[in-house]
């Protein structure tokens, strides 16, 4: 039986994005079933515009150059990789409503659902992580 990995992405910075997508793609590479629930600032990680320019923690700007020198994929590239590997993206309906966002604001291929949608997946998860 496939392992299940449930991830909650509630923060919207560059470091958060790398944590979320590195874990998600690593888990998917082991043939685990993976779902990410994007809520609050975490929605930035899949927002068509915001995910191209996620903020770095203050004083860590030099890290951006390190990512490039180490040939680390960009966040848009990691999003595409995760989707190609079958990672399920669930955008939080309540947060979208509060922020006045629609499905069209986000990358293609996402699902929109509430906490219950995510919990339905997470209840059978072998691993649950929050970033």
């Amino acid at each position: 039986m496939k392992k299940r990995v449930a991830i909650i992405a509630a923060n919207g910075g560059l470091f958060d994005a790398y944590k979320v997508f590195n874990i998600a793609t690593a888990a998917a590479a082991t043939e685990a079933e993976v779902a990410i629930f994007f809520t609050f600032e975490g929605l930035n990680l899949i927002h068509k515009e915001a995910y191209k320019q996620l903020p770095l923690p203050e004083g860590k700007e030099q890290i951006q150059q390190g990512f490039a020198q180490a040939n680390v994929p960009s966040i848009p590239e990691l999003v595409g990789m995760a989707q190609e590997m079958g990672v399920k993206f669930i955008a939080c309906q309540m947060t979208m409503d509060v922020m006045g966002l629609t499905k069209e604001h986000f990358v293609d291929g996402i699902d929109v659902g509430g906490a219950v949608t995510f919990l339905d997946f997470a209840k059978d998860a072998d691993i649950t992580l929050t970033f």
Side-chain angles (χ1 to χ4, degrees):
M1 186 170 183
K2 274 189 170 188
K3 294 258 185 216
R4 272 190 162 198
V5 179
I7 300 171
I8 298 172
N11 294 296
L14 187 64
F15 286 2
D16 304 302
Y18 277 113
K19 293 173 201 173
V20 167
F21 294 118
N22 282 336
I23 295 291
T25 55
T30 68
E31 305 208 359
E33 189 178 355
V34 183
I36 308 170
F37 184 66
F38 298 90
T39 187
F40 295 100
E41 288 87 8
L43 285 172
N44 286 337
L45 308 187
I46 54 169
H47 188 279
K48 282 181 184 173
E49 296 305 319
Y51 84 146
K52 298 174 190 172
Q53 52 196 7
L54 296 169
L56 278 164
E58 196 168 316
K60 301 288 186 187
E61 294 78 12
Q62 75 282 4
I63 301 269
Q64 187 69 46
Q65 188 177 358
F67 283 133
Q69 289 174 341
N71 294 317
V72 175
S74 69
I75 296 307
E77 290 171 320
L78 283 172
V79 166
M81 287 169 55
Q83 288 182 309
E84 286 172 17
M85 297 173 88
V87 175
K88 184 175 183 174
F89 292 179
I90 306 167
C92 178
Q93 180 73 63
M94 181 200 75
T95 305
M96 288 171 58
D97 292 346
V98 167
M99 295 181 172
L101 299 169
T102 64
K103 192 172 181 177
E104 290 68 39
H105 287 100
F106 299 97
V107 297
D108 292 336
I110 67 161
D111 293 327
V112 176
V116 171
T117 303
F118 176 71
L119 290 171
D120 189 49
F121 177 89
K123 71 178 173 23
D124 297 320
D126 299 286
I127 300 168
T128 303
L129 302 165
T130 303
F131 295 104

